[in-house]
Amino acid sequence: MSRPRLTNKAILFLAAFIAALLAIYLFWSFETSVKELLENRMGDHPATSAKTIINIVKLLLVGILGYLLVRALNVSFFGLAFRLKRIDAPTLIRNIFTIVAFTIFFLITFTFFFPDTNLGALFTTSAIFGVILGLALQDTLGNFFAGISLQADRPFQVGDVITVGAQRHTGVVEEISWRAIKIRTFSNHVVMIANSNAAREPIEVCPRDNLNARIVFFNTLYSDSPAKTIHVVREAVREAENVSSKVTPIVRIRDLGENAVDYEVKYWLEDYAKYNDTDALVRQRIWYAFRRAGLSFAFPTRTLHVERPSRMAQRDGDGGALVERLSAVDIFAPLSVEETGMLAHAAVRHIFAPGELVIRAGDPGSSMFVVHNGRVRVQVSENGRPRTVATLNEGDFFGEMALFTGEPRTANVVAIEETEVLEIGHAAMKRVFDTNPDLVESLSFIIAERRQGLASQSDSATPAHESSAGLLSSIKRFFGLSQ
Ligand code: CMP
């Protein structure tokens, strides 16, 4: 509580206390006169009735004074406990203290002013009193006991964010009193939820000292690469303020939608109470990261294909890049520009996600691949575990062994990152061999060398000792070339 409010409260308390004392003093001073006045005005048993009324007024006045004293005791006792032990007692405990202390005080005072009245009998025999009390206290007692069970279970505490009930009131818990839970919503409104209602409703609790997660949705065009999108968004989000550095955000594809690839990013917050601001910041960071990385958000689109460009025209669009890539592959170096162009024309582009299998060991294969973008690793099984025998980069080729020998694939080839490969089939290679018989020779050397490498590392019985000369003649046989 702020200092001026505390001072105001102290002044108010002092004024009330002095007023109560003054009232008691005055009433006691004028007791005889009041009694006479009452007796004159009353009919039967004037003395007894006047005395009862005077005692009731006295009980009331002393009760007010007692209530003020109990409040003062409450504040000083719990204030002291907080100052000495840093224990901040819940409001409900303070309220129970006040109720118990005041009831004791009231009972003592009552017995003092009405020594002949049996309090127990008064409460139990008065039917009307019982009904009134029962009806009036029905809700109050329900709230009171629900409040006690909330304090005992401690499903949430002051400072936690909770969502309660069918109307899904969400806010930060400010107080749990004997009657209600007070939460402050994110619109800075205060919502009071009666304890008895809260006890009946499901409550979603996001504890203050807990890593609570949030999910934010976004989308991209189908042309944007998922691997790139996931990387870009993860890096952008993890840097945002209030995003916990203890857990790396998770970015994943939620749906392949009608107009877009739908993603979600799950991130963990340091302070959950600020999730609205953090969600907004995360969306903002995604927007900027998209701009920098050349990614695009999707919006409802409808593509009308008025005329389908021919396969040839499509290839010609970036055919130059493919020719350039293939002419940089060392085994294709002896080919003429036309021959490389023919290979590029026959090549089919494929894209693979990080970790995806491009070639599976043991599968039949009738094509080879050139790494256009990205990297792959060649893996064999050693004692049942994958072992990398080579890492191939842009411009390297693989898959030639099965293509040229007709044998099954000798190894797994796995994309390390998002990787684009160019696949060249049997027919295209045969055409190249027909005009460049020397190529078969250089390839047979490479295959023999790779076989050696495999034989030393793999579990499988790879025929390692076939010489390059033997390979050369079997390749020629396989491709129907003259020996
Ligand atoms: P293929 O057997 O068709 O399929 C797996 C491919 O992995 C194989 O052709 C080679 O292209 C490649 N490969 C196998 N061993 C090696 C190695 N030691 N170095 C590089 N590439 C290899």
Side-chain angles (χ1 to χ4, degrees), residues 161-162 168-174 182-193 273 275-276:
V161 174
I162 61 168
R168 300 197 61 76
H169 293 296
T170 300
V172 183
V173 178
E174 283 203 337
K182 179 178 170 190
I183 63 172
R184 190 167 291 273
T185 69
F186 295 112
S187 312
N188 205 22
H189 301 158
V190 171
V191 178
M192 304 293 289
I193 299 146
Y275 74 74
N276 276 326

Side-chain angles (χ1 to χ4, degrees), residues 297-344:
F297 292 103
F299 40 85
T301 48
R302 175 149 304 179
T303 310
L304 291 178
H305 289 276
V306 178
E307 189 187 336
R308 235 166 184 236
S310 68
R311 220 175 127 89
M312 177 92 84
Q314 260 181 358
R315 283 175 192 288
D316 289 348
D318 56 0
L322 300 195
V323 172
E324 206 176 309
R325 164 65 63 224
L326 293 179
S327 53
V329 177
D330 41 6
I331 51 155
F332 297 139
L335 303 189
S336 68
V337 178
E338 288 74 37
E339 284 166 340
T340 318
M342 187 277 290
L343 264 191

Side-chain angles (χ1 to χ4, degrees), residues 144-340:
F144 181 73
F145 287 114
I148 289 178
S149 84
L150 278 177
Q151 289 293 340
D153 290 351
R154 287 196 158 261
F156 51 82
Q157 294 174 27
V158 171
D160 292 352
V161 174
I162 61 168
T163 303
V164 192
Q167 281 156 316
R168 300 197 61 76
H169 293 296
T170 300
V172 183
V173 178
E174 283 203 337
E175 192 179 72
I176 308 161
S177 71
W178 63 273
R179 200 187 74 74
I181 303 162
K182 179 178 170 190
I183 63 172
R184 190 167 291 273
T185 69
F186 295 112
S187 312
N188 205 22
H189 301 158
V190 171
V191 178
M192 304 293 289
I193 299 146
N195 288 342
S196 52
N197 286 346
R200 273 195 296 269
E201 303 279 2
I203 305 177
E204 185 185 331
V205 183
C206 303
R208 191 170 41 165
D209 305 324
N210 180 54
L211 274 180
N212 300 296
R214 290 281 301 169
I215 293 182
V216 167
F217 304 108
F218 65 95
N219 64 25
T220 65
L221 294 178
Y222 266 100
S223 51
D224 289 332
S225 134
K228 182 175 175 184
T229 307
I230 288 169
H231 175 74
V232 165
V233 172
R234 193 197 297 126
E235 292 311 305
V237 172
R238 75 196 302 178
E239 296 302 324
E241 202 182 313
N242 198 29
V243 171
S244 172
S245 54
K246 290 186 190 133
V247 193
T248 309
I250 295 172
V251 185
R252 55 196 172 200
I253 295 181
R254 200 165 58 91
D255 192 20
L256 297 174
E258 209 176 317
N259 303 296
V261 182
D262 296 320
Y263 289 86
E264 64 185 21
V265 51
K266 181 176 182 183
Y267 71 93
W268 284 259
L269 291 105
E270 274 164 11
D271 181 358
Y272 190 74
K274 292 185 189 151
Y275 74 74
N276 276 326
D277 291 342
T278 316
D279 277 4
L281 184 65
V282 161
R283 291 188 193 103
Q284 193 198 68
R285 290 290 168 90
I286 294 174
W287 190 92
Y288 281 105
F290 265 36
R291 260 294 167 91
R292 287 193 300 274
L295 299 168
S296 310
F297 292 103
F299 40 85
T301 48
R302 175 149 304 179
T303 310
L304 291 178
H305 289 276
V306 178
E307 189 187 336
R308 235 166 184 236
S310 68
R311 220 175 127 89
M312 177 92 84
Q314 260 181 358
R315 283 175 192 288
D316 289 348
D318 56 0
L322 300 195
V323 172
E324 206 176 309
R325 164 65 63 224
L326 293 179
S327 53
V329 177
D330 41 6
I331 51 155
F332 297 139
L335 303 189
S336 68
V337 178
E338 288 74 37
E339 284 166 340
T340 318

Side-chain angles (χ1 to χ4, degrees), residues 359 367 378 389-390 392 397-403 408-413 449-451 453-454:
I359 277 181
S367 55
V378 180
V389 293
L392 305 177
F397 64 89
F398 59 92
E400 78 294 342
M401 290 184 169
L403 170 65
R409 299 288 190 195
T410 52
N412 281 338
V413 179
E449 213 173 88
R450 286 185 170 180
R451 277 191 171 178
L454 284 180

Side-chain angles (χ1 to χ4, degrees), residues 92 96 99 103 129-150 177-180 194-197 199-200:
L92 189 70
I96 291 176
I99 292 169
T103 311
F129 184 74
V131 170
I132 292 172
L133 203 71
L135 286 176
L137 290 187
Q138 198 180 26
D139 281 351
T140 314
L141 284 177
N143 285 330
F144 181 73
F145 287 114
I148 289 178
S149 84
L150 278 177
S177 71
W178 63 273
R179 200 187 74 74
N195 288 342
S196 52
N197 286 346
R200 273 195 296 269

Side-chain angles (χ1 to χ4, degrees), residues 5 20 82 124 145 201 217 395 397 427 435 465 471:
R5 269 189 74 187
F82 182 68
T124 45
F145 287 114
E201 303 279 2
F217 304 108
F397 64 89
T435 46
H465 303 299
L471 263 171

Side-chain angles (χ1 to χ4, degrees), residues 415-430:
I416 297 175
E417 55 203 54
E418 188 178 87
T419 301
E420 202 178 357
V421 295
L422 309 178
E423 184 179 14
I424 304 167
H426 184 279
M429 282 312 293
K430 182 167 168 26

